[in-house]
Amino acid sequence: YNWQMVFQPLTSTVHWPAIGHLWTLSVEQQFYVFFPLLFLGVPKRWRWRLAGALVLLAPLTRWMWLLFVGSAVPDADVGILAFSVYAATICQIDAFLIGALIARFQPRLLCDPRLPMRWMWLALGVVVAFALVYIAMNHARGDRGADVLKNIFSGILYGQRRELFGYSVILFAAGVLLVTIAGVPGTSWLSKPWITWIGRISYGGYLFHALLIWGVSQLIGQELKYSPVAWRVAGFAAVFLATVGLASWSFTCFEQPIARRFKTWASGGAFVLCMQKSAKVEH
């Protein structure tokens, strides 16, 4: 789905907005299929070094990708090229690898109680520096007022090579937040059950939210984003509550039972394998 959107942007049919966002799941599944195979061929002591190197080299990867797409699609404009970076799996691998590195090193990073705030200040400094550079660039090309803020942290970044470095800055800041939030004073409220529940059902929330936004838009006869402010606020509240409810139902009735069955099957298979190995050793 994502590759079709990259290489056939002009001939693609108009997708139903209720499922149009699901191309991102293609990116995720491609990463989960390909990268374990890559890392299986790397000695264990080098795997995290390789992951870190790929994260640091992500801007170079995006630049090389832009060169390739520019030659493959000669008539592509700036927006299409920027979307190709946004939708290509190879250009977003640092997001997934940062997640893997967080899972590996978070306990070690939180051993020193002074580190979380230092990392938070570093991340804030990087974000502010990036924003100031591109605010100045937007101003220099003639943007004024709120327009100086456009395409700095928006969904699809483009212009003045921000599509190369912008995602790295955002991912670095988000990664630091995920690593350090547990060690920052005043964040204990994030452990409240209703907060963590929203996190647990977030996959369903992502899956269904566009469908519910589309449904509300159909009910009121126009897209929410073009409605009066009062309608948008009410629509947001209705969609949020409905999304949490539907995602909770999906998590309880589908995701949890499937996960339990898979864990039972996996643990049973591991037990049988261990018994077979044990029998061979005894023999």
Side-chain angles (χ1 to χ4, degrees), residues 141 168 241:
R141 70 181 183 182
S168 294
L241 293 174

Side-chain angles (χ1 to χ4, degrees), residues 95-259:
F96 301 101
L97 292 175
I98 285 175
L101 291 169
I102 287 172
R104 175 68 174 81
F105 292 107
Q106 185 178 30
R108 186 181 302 178
L109 293 171
L110 293 178
C111 288
D112 187 343
R114 297 169 296 180
L115 282 179
M117 287 306 299
R118 291 178 181 174
W119 277 100
M120 291 285 281
W121 282 113
L122 176 61
L124 179 62
V126 171
V127 169
V128 169
F130 177 82
L132 290 176
V133 167
Y134 281 101
I135 286 173
M137 287 187 176
N138 287 344
H139 187 273
R141 70 181 183 182
D143 294 329
R144 296 294 183 269
D147 285 343
V148 299
L149 300 175
K150 67 183 181 183
N151 292 332
I152 296 178
F153 296 114
S154 58
I156 302 174
L157 305 175
Y158 63 92
Q160 293 86 36
R161 300 302 182 189
R162 66 190 76 191
E163 65 270 26
L164 303 183
F165 302 100
Y167 298 115
S168 294
V169 170
I170 294 169
L171 290 171
F172 173 71
V176 168
L177 181 65
L178 289 171
V179 169
T180 61
I181 195 69
V184 175
T187 58
S188 59
W189 62 275
L190 291 172
S191 299
K192 299 293 183 182
W194 66 275
I195 291 285
T196 56
W197 177 253
I198 291 176
R200 294 182 72 191
I201 65 170
S202 59
Y203 176 78
Y206 177 74
L207 200 63
F208 299 124
H209 78 280
L211 173 63
L212 293 168
I213 291 173
W214 176 83
V216 170
S217 299
Q218 294 300 303
L219 285 175
I220 65 175
Q222 62 178 330
E223 291 189 43
L224 273 176
K225 62 183 178 181
Y226 299 126
S227 303
V229 174
W231 279 98
R232 278 182 276 170
V233 172
F236 170 81
V239 168
F240 176 79
L241 293 174
T243 299
V244 171
L246 184 57
S248 298
W249 174 78
S250 174
F251 182 79
T252 303
C253 297
F254 290 96
E255 295 172 46
Q256 274 191 321
I258 291 171

Side-chain angles (χ1 to χ4, degrees), residues 272-283:
V272 170
L273 183 61
C274 289
M275 292 298 292
Q276 290 175 344
K277 288 183 177 180
S278 176
K280 288 180 180 180
V281 170
E282 290 176 359
H283 179 72

